[in-house]
C-alpha cells in the first residue's frame, strides 16, 4: 500500500501539471502584449538585457524559450511556470483540489500576474519552490534567494520562508553568491555586442547602476519613499479583486486552519503580506493597483486558499466539491483574455511613410513597435526611439537595423547635463530632425 502511494503521488502531480499547463498555454498571452511584455518578447527574439535591474534569469530563460519554441516560446515558458507553481503549493491531490486550482488559474487577477509576460510569474514560482521545500538557511536556500533576486528585487523577502533550525549562514551566503552569479550574464551580453543592451553593463559603473535600478530612482525618486492614501486604496482594491468572489472563503478557512495547527507558518505568510504592502507603498507606488504589484499577496492568498480547501474537503468532501465547483464556474464566467494590442499597434504604424522616425513616450506603443519590427519583421524601415531614453545603446539598437539614420548628436552637442530632462529631450529630437531632413518624424504627444 505504501509503495502504491509513493507511485501514485508523482503520477497525480504529473497529471495535474499537464492539465494546468495546457489550460495556462491556451489562455496565455497572444499577439502583442501591453506594458513590458513587448520588451520581453524582443529580448527573447534578439537576446540581450532587460530593463533595470536587468532580470538576467528571465532574460536567459526567455531567449532559451525562443530557441526551442519560436514565437510561442514565452507562452510555453509562462504556462510551465504557472502550472509548476500551483502544483507546488497544492498538498492534497484530489478532484476538488484540481477543480479549484483550475478555476483559480482562470481568474483575471491570477492570470494577469502569473501568465502575463513579466517578472511576476517567475517570482511566484521561486516562492512556491521555497514554500514546498521548507529549507533552513542553507546552500539551497541561499541559491533560491539569489535566483529570486535575479528575477525581481522582491526576491529578498524569500528569507521569510526559511527556518533557523540546522541553519548554516556560511552555506547560505555561498548559495546566495552562486544564485546571484546569473548577473554575470549582463556584462557578458554587453561584451558580446548584444543588440538589446539596456544599461550597457560592460563597465563596472554601468553594471552597478543597472542592478541597483539607478535610472528608476532618477525618474521616479520623487514618488518613492512616501506613502499616500491613494496608493493604499489602489493596493487594497487590487487585493479585493484577487479575493473576491472566489478566494475569500477558502482563504479564510485556510487562515483559521493554520492558526489552529501551524501558527509559525501563518505568521510567515502574514509577514509576506505586510512586506508586500510596504514594498508597494514605498518602492513601487507608481504601479499600485495594477497586475504589476501584489504578487506576494497573491502567493499568500493562494496558499491559504489551498490549505482551506484541504481542510474543508477533509471535513466534508461534498462541501469541498461545491466550493471547488463554484471556483471553476467563476473562473470560466469571469475569464478575460490577456490584453492584446496588436490591432492598435498595427493601426498606429501602418499610415506612416517609409523610413519614418518615431519618438515615443508611451511604452505600450514603443514596445509594441519593437514586436512589430524586431519580432514579426513588419515595418523594418521605421526607426523607434524613446523620448525618455537617449542612452547610446538605445540609439545603437536603432542604427543596427537602420544604419542610414544619423543619431550622432549627443547631450554635449546640444547642451549639458545641468538642463532638465525635458529640455534635453527636446533639443536632441530637434537635432535628429535636422540631421535627417529626408525622414518624416512623428511623436505620440
Amino acid at each position: 500500500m505504501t509503495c502504491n502511494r509513493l507511485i501514485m503521488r508523482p503520477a497525480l502531480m504529473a497529471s495535474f501539471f499537464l492539465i494546468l499547463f495546457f489550460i495556462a498555454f491556451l489562455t496565455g498571452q497572444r499577439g502583442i502584449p501591453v506594458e513590458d511584455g513587448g520588451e520581453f518578447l524582443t529580448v527573447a527574439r534578439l537576446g540581450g538585457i532587460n530593463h533595470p535591474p536587468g532580470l538576467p534569469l528571465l532574460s536567459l530563460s526567455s531567449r532559451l524559450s525562443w530557441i526551442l519554441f519560436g514565437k510561442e516560446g514565452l507562452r510555453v515558458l509562462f504556462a510551465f511556470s504557472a502550472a509548476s507553481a500551483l502544483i507546488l503549493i497544492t498538498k492534497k491531490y484530489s478532484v476538488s483540489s484540481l477543480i479549484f486550482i483550475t478555476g483559480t488559474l482562470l481568474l483575471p487577477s491570477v492570470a494577469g500576474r502569473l501568465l502575463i509576460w513579466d517578472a511576476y510569474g517567475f517570482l511566484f514560482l521561486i516562492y512556491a519552490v521555497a514554500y514546498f521545500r521548507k529549507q533552513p538557511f542553507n546552500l539551497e536556500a541561499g541559491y533560491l534567494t539569489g535566483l529570486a533576486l535575479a528575477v525581481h528585487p522582491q526576491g529578498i523577502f524569500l528569507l521569510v520562508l526559511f527556518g533557523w533550525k540546522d541553519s548554516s549562514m556560511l552555506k547560505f551566503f555561498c548559495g546566495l553568491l552562486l544564485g546571484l552569479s546569473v548577473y554575470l550574464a549582463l556584462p557578458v551580453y554587453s561584451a558580446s555586442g548584444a543588440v538589446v543592451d539596456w544599461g550597457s553593463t560592460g563597465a563596472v559603473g554601468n553594471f552597478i547602476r543597472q542592478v541597483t535600478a539607478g535610472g528608476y530612482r532618477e525618474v521616479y525618486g520623487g514618488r518613492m519613499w512616501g506613502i499616500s492614501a491613494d496608493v493604499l486604496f489602489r493596493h487594497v482594491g487590487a487585493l479585493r479583486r484577487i479575493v473576491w468572489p472566489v478566494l475569500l472563503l477558502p482563504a479564510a478557512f485556510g487562515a483559521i486552519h493554520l492558526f489552529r495547527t501551524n501558527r509559525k507558518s501563518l505568521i510567515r505568510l502574514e509577514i509576506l503580506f505586510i512586506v508586500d504592502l510596504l514594498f508597494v507603498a514605498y518602492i513601487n507606488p507608481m504601479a499600485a493597483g495594477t497586475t504589476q504589484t501584489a504578487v506576494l499577496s497573491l502567493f499568500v492568498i493562494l496558499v491559504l486558499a489551498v490549505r482551506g480547501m484541504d481542510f474543508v474537503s477533509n471535513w466534508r468532501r461534498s462541501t469541498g466539491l461545491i466550493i471547488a465547483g463554484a471556483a471553476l464556474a467563476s473562473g470560466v464566467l469571469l475569464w478575460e483574455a490577456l490584453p492584446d494590442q496588436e490591432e492598435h499597434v498595427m493601426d498606429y504604424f501602418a499610415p506612416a511613410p517609409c523610413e519614418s522616425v518615431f519618438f515615443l513616450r508611451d511604452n505600450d506603443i514603443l514596445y509594441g513597435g519593437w514586436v512589430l519590427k524586431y519580432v514579426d519583421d513588419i515595418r523594418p524601415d521605421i526607426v523607434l526611439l524613446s523620448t525618455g531614453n537617449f542612452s547610446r545603446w538605445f540609439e545603437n539598437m536603432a542604427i543596427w537595423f537602420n544604419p542610414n539614420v544619423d543619431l550622432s548628436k549627443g547631450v554635449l552637442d546640444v547642451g549639458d547635463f545641468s538642463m532638465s530632462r525635458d529640455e534635453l529631450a527636446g533639443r536632441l529630437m530637434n537635432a535628429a530632425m535636422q540631421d535627417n531632413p529626408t525622414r518624416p518624424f512623428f511623436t505620440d504627444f
Side-chain angles (χ1 to χ4, degrees):
M1 186 66 177
T2 303
C3 182
N4 289 337
R5 286 180 178 175
L6 290 174
I7 294 172
M8 284 297 294
R9 183 176 173 84
L12 282 172
M13 289 179 67
S15 300
F16 277 36
F17 170 81
L18 288 175
I19 292 170
L20 290 173
F21 172 82
F22 282 114
I23 291 172
F25 179 80
L26 292 173
T27 60
Q29 181 70 61
R30 295 180 181 275
I32 298 179
V34 297
E35 297 172 347
D36 297 330
E39 176 200 337
F40 282 90
L41 185 55
T42 303
V43 168
R45 173 65 179 88
L46 301 178
I49 300 169
N50 278 302
H51 62 269
L55 317 175
L57 182 60
L58 195 50
S59 300
L60 294 170
S61 300
S62 299
R63 180 61 184 145
L64 178 61
S65 75
W66 182 281
I67 292 171
L68 294 176
F69 303 105
K71 193 176 179 181
E72 298 295 325
L74 284 185
R75 287 183 68 203
V76 173
L77 181 64
F78 280 80
F80 174 85
S81 173
S84 300
L86 292 175
I87 287 296
L88 290 173
I89 65 173
T90 301
K91 298 250 182 183
K92 182 180 178 182
Y93 299 98
S94 63
V95 174
S96 60
S97 63
L98 174 60
I99 294 173
F100 178 74
I101 58 177
T102 299
T104 297
L105 181 59
L106 295 173
L107 295 173
S109 58
V110 177
R113 288 171 172 82
L114 300 188
L115 297 182
I116 202 165
W117 296 344
D118 214 316
Y120 309 103
F122 256 54
L123 184 67
F124 189 100
L125 173 59
I126 295 177
Y127 270 82
V129 172
Y131 178 79
F132 177 79
R133 294 290 295 163
K134 291 185 172 19
Q135 292 291 312
F137 284 88
N138 59 15
L139 187 68
E140 180 182 337
Y143 184 62
L144 284 174
T145 304
L147 291 181
L149 287 169
V151 172
H152 193 276
Q154 280 186 291
I156 191 62
F157 300 133
L158 199 69
L159 302 177
V160 174
L161 295 180
F162 303 134
W164 288 100
K165 186 178 180 181
D166 300 323
S167 291
S168 169
M169 297 310 295
L170 177 61
K171 290 182 179 179
F172 174 82
F173 282 112
C174 289
L176 179 66
L177 291 176
L178 187 61
L180 288 173
S181 67
V182 180
Y183 271 101
L184 294 176
L186 304 187
V188 170
Y189 258 131
S190 288
S192 64
V195 177
V196 188
D197 188 15
W198 204 301
S200 302
T201 54
V204 173
N206 288 346
F207 177 80
I208 294 174
R209 173 181 166 82
Q210 172 80 348
V211 301
T212 59
Y216 272 167
R217 293 197 304 275
E218 292 173 7
V219 176
Y220 298 113
R223 299 164 67 182
M224 299 167 122
W225 303 109
I227 190 166
S228 68
D230 176 62
V231 170
L232 291 177
F233 280 128
R234 282 187 281 142
H235 185 68
V236 170
L239 297 180
R240 183 191 64 79
R241 289 190 293 274
I242 290 173
V243 300
W244 185 260
V246 174
L247 299 177
L248 180 59
L249 186 61
F253 280 132
I256 294 171
H257 177 62
L258 285 181
F259 181 79
R260 292 176 174 175
T261 60
N262 192 344
R263 294 186 184 181
K264 186 179 293 186
S265 178
L266 180 61
I267 290 172
R268 285 176 174 152
L269 293 174
E270 290 172 342
I271 292 173
L272 278 182
F273 199 84
I274 293 170
V275 296
D276 191 35
L277 167 62
L278 295 177
F279 186 89
V280 171
Y282 290 103
I283 306 297
N284 197 19
M286 300 77 67
T290 71
T291 54
Q292 292 185 312
T293 59
V295 65
L296 298 189
S297 297
L298 174 66
F299 174 79
V300 171
I301 291 166
L302 285 181
V303 168
L304 290 175
V306 170
R307 296 286 81 75
M309 282 299 301
D310 291 344
F311 168 71
V312 171
S313 297
N314 288 334
W315 170 58
R316 186 168 295 176
R317 185 178 178 184
S318 59
T319 304
L321 286 170
I322 291 172
I323 296 176
L328 180 59
S330 297
V332 171
L333 293 173
L334 296 175
W335 179 80
E336 299 174 357
L338 294 177
D340 176 6
Q341 59 169 346
E342 183 169 4
E343 183 177 352
H344 175 55
V345 171
M346 292 286 285
D347 290 344
Y348 186 88
F349 289 104
C354 285
E355 299 190 336
S356 295
V357 180
F358 288 86
F359 281 102
L360 300 169
R361 176 177 293 177
D362 186 337
N363 282 341
D364 281 346
I365 295 295
L366 175 63
Y367 297 145
W370 279 19
V371 175
L372 203 69
K373 176 181 173 72
Y374 303 125
V375 178
D376 295 334
D377 297 320
I378 299 173
R379 293 304 308 262
D381 59 293
I382 61 176
V383 178
L384 300 170
L385 299 168
S386 169
T387 60
N389 195 332
F390 287 90
S391 299
R392 194 61 207 168
W393 79 264
F394 206 103
E395 296 175 349
N396 286 341
M397 181 177 172
I399 295 169
W400 179 274
F401 291 93
N402 301 89
N404 295 325
V405 67
D406 184 355
L407 300 174
S408 57
K409 296 286 178 62
V411 171
L412 297 181
D413 296 309
V414 299
D416 57 62
F417 290 101
S418 66
M419 296 179 175
S420 69
R421 179 182 291 268
D422 289 340
E423 184 178 359
L424 276 177
R427 291 192 179 196
L428 287 168
M429 284 188 280
N430 286 331
M433 286 187 279
Q434 293 171 6
D435 292 340
N436 299 273
T438 62
R439 289 178 176 268
F441 279 76
F442 299 91
T443 66
D444 59 348
F445 64 94

